[in-house]
Amino acid sequence: MHFMEKKEALETYSDFTHIYSQFDSLNSTEKKIARYVMELKGEILNKTTQDVGRATGTSAAAVVRFCRTLGFKGYLDLKFYIEKELLSPSSEIIEIHKDDSIPELKEKIFRFNRHIIEETQNILDDEALQKTIDAIIQANRIDIYAEGGSGITAQNFINQLMQIGINCKYYKDPIMEMTAACQLKPGDVALAISYSGSSINTVDSLQKAKESGATTICLTGYSQSPITKHSDIILYTGAWDSKKMSDLPAARISELCVLSFIQIAIVAGDYKMRSGQIQKGKAILKQKRY
């Protein structure tokens, strides 16, 4: 099989949006496998890791590593994703046309949002989620780093944690954020939110937090992005690479779903105490409403 050398040539095969959107972050071996998978399409479902390794001049172990790099638990998860994509291609979900009616646009946008949520659910690693929950519960101090659109997500998560009695801080000023990161210690947690995983201020602050001894966690849409190199725990959201619409709404939806799950899981772990905190908060808020 002839392998295309540039990502641009893969656009014809971009039905598998999660693989396509991650392509630039892959190493040379992983790119060989990605090209093969996207070109082969449905035929990959009948291939073993050994088959793929031989066809790409790599190995079965490299195929498994490729799957995990993309956030899948293994080769079977990758096949499951491909099978779903073939039944309902992501690239067809959000084909917007100038003559689309309001009902047609509504159907496309809501279907796209549902797809993003499902992809995030499928790609989230349960072990990483449990480690995140444990780290937050046990933390002496929690700092959250984010900017731009992810900053909105961060502020929302601060509110969610405060509702259940967990104190944390978010710094809008990058200098203050970096200063705070220098003061973290073992037993503290730093959570960085960056859909691209490449926001300079957010990445630098997380790196400094890791150097200070804190447990570092990132929430990102892209594997092998700069932020993952400084993260003890990595949480992935569904990624979407589209030239036809902004990634912003999809990024916020996927981030909010992950963080909402974390809050609910913490509540479920100690329902009596955490639900009591929620009720206290509601009682206070009630006094501020007409």
Side-chain angles (χ1 to χ4, degrees):
M1 176 172 290
H2 171 67
F3 294 119
M4 294 165 287
E5 296 302 322
K6 295 182 179 180
K7 184 185 177 186
E8 289 75 14
L10 290 171
E11 289 184 0
T12 307
Y13 299 92
S14 62
D15 289 337
F16 306 141
T17 55
H18 182 71
I19 301 174
Y20 178 74
S21 64
Q22 305 277 355
F23 188 83
D24 287 340
S25 69
L26 302 177
N27 62 37
S28 58
T29 297
E30 292 163 343
K31 284 179 179 177
K32 288 182 181 179
I33 299 170
R35 293 186 187 103
Y36 183 76
V37 168
M38 287 193 283
E39 288 186 12
L40 211 59
K41 291 184 176 281
E43 294 178 39
I44 199 73
L45 300 176
N46 299 317
K47 302 290 185 182
T48 65
T49 53
Q50 289 82 4
D51 293 334
V52 178
R54 281 193 296 269
T56 56
T58 58
S59 66
V63 175
V64 174
R65 287 194 295 272
F66 162 75
C67 296
R68 290 176 178 167
T69 293
L70 291 178
F72 298 108
K73 294 178 182 177
Y75 188 56
L76 287 178
D77 270 3
L78 174 65
K79 282 187 171 183
F80 178 68
Y81 163 76
I82 289 171
E83 189 171 22
K84 286 185 66 179
E85 283 290 285
L86 291 171
L87 290 172
S88 180
S90 302
S91 57
E92 295 178 4
I93 289 177
I94 195 66
E95 285 294 327
I96 301 297
H97 306 290
K98 65 178 182 179
D99 297 326
D100 283 345
S101 66
I102 292 297
E104 287 171 334
L105 285 172
K106 183 175 68 174
E107 169 61 25
K108 288 179 179 181
I109 295 300
F110 277 81
R111 181 150 41 99
F112 170 70
N113 288 339
R114 287 194 296 269
H115 170 79
I116 286 295
I117 292 171
E118 288 175 1
E119 183 170 316
T120 299
Q121 179 183 358
N122 291 334
I123 208 167
L124 268 175
D125 182 74
D126 294 343
E127 183 178 352
L129 282 169
Q130 187 62 62
K131 288 180 178 178
T132 298
I133 293 163
D134 292 341
I136 289 174
I137 291 173
Q138 298 166 14
N140 299 318
R141 168 179 165 182
I142 302 169
D143 282 5
I144 300 179
Y145 310 143
E147 61 183 2
S150 291
I152 298 170
T153 305
Q155 292 179 68
N156 182 77
F157 191 47
I158 290 281
N159 293 335
Q160 287 182 298
L161 291 182
M162 289 183 66
Q163 287 173 10
I164 58 176
I166 295 177
N167 289 319
C168 47
K169 293 183 179 180
Y170 167 63
Y171 304 91
K172 294 182 179 180
D173 183 282
I175 302 300
M176 290 295 295
E177 182 179 272
M178 181 65 80
T179 303
C182 294
Q183 298 173 358
L184 294 178
K185 300 178 179 64
D188 296 334
V189 165
L191 167 65
I193 307 170
S194 173
Y195 186 64
S196 68
S198 302
S199 300
I200 292 175
N201 291 327
T202 304
V203 173
D204 287 352
S205 293
L206 194 68
Q207 179 180 6
K208 185 58 64 177
K210 187 173 180 63
E211 292 172 356
S212 298
T215 298
T216 54
I217 306 167
C218 77
L219 177 60
T220 183
Y222 290 85
S223 61
Q224 296 194 13
S225 54
I227 204 167
T228 63
K229 296 176 175 60
H230 310 297
S231 304
D232 298 314
I233 305 168
I234 304 172
L235 300 172
Y236 289 113
T237 63
W240 178 262
D241 189 359
S242 173
K243 295 179 176 62
K244 297 183 179 180
M245 65 175 290
S246 169
D247 292 338
L248 186 60
R252 302 297 80 77
I253 289 168
S254 52
E255 289 168 354
L256 289 169
C257 282
V258 175
L259 298 175
S260 293
F261 168 81
I262 291 171
Q263 186 218 29
I264 294 299
I266 292 172
V267 172
D270 190 350
Y271 183 78
K272 185 176 181 180
M273 191 269 280
R274 300 296 180 188
S275 61
Q277 293 286 349
I278 293 174
Q279 293 307 314
K280 286 181 182 178
K282 286 183 175 180
I284 292 171
L285 288 176
K286 191 174 181 180
Q287 299 174 18
K288 295 296 182 180
R289 291 175 178 157
Y290 288 108

